[in-house]
Amino acid sequence: MAVNTKQKKRIDIATCWATNRISVMDNLEKYEDSYAIAEEFREWILHVGEKNENLRDSFLNLPKELKELLDQKVND
């Protein structure tokens, strides 16, 4: 199963957030926080722009039933 467009967008947003947050933490000299964020998002940051099928394994997805319920509430 390939990384789909929605998943790619999630990766892009999370990667952007993480790299910006790392920069802020470094500027504030909060190196432990910076390191923790870098470790948490390492796979995504290191593979920016690459077609890496292993990234899909790092997604936390909602259970199908919950997703359908939420989609229905949004559409109502």
Side-chain angles (χ1 to χ4, degrees):
M1 185 169 135
V3 175
N4 66 34
T5 304
K6 286 183 181 181
Q7 290 173 330
K8 170 122 178 49
K9 189 173 186 175
R10 287 173 61 190
I11 290 171
D12 291 345
I13 291 169
T15 302
C16 184
W17 174 88
T19 53
N20 285 327
R21 190 69 179 161
I22 290 165
S23 178
V24 168
M25 293 293 106
D26 284 347
N27 286 331
L28 295 173
E29 297 182 1
K30 294 187 175 190
Y31 300 114
E32 289 180 9
D33 294 334
S34 171
Y35 179 78
I37 295 168
E39 286 301 300
E40 182 71 25
F41 290 92
R42 178 177 17 157
E43 289 299 314
W44 292 5
I45 293 169
L46 292 177
H47 298 289
V48 170
E50 293 180 14
K51 291 192 176 192
N52 186 337
E53 300 305 321
N54 296 328
L55 291 178
R56 70 179 169 83
D57 295 334
S58 63
F59 278 94
L60 295 176
N61 292 309
L62 294 173
K64 185 178 179 181
E65 296 82 16
L66 181 57
K67 182 183 178 319
E68 289 171 355
L69 177 64
L70 291 172
D71 287 344
Q72 181 182 14
K73 288 191 179 269
V74 167
N75 292 329
D76 287 344

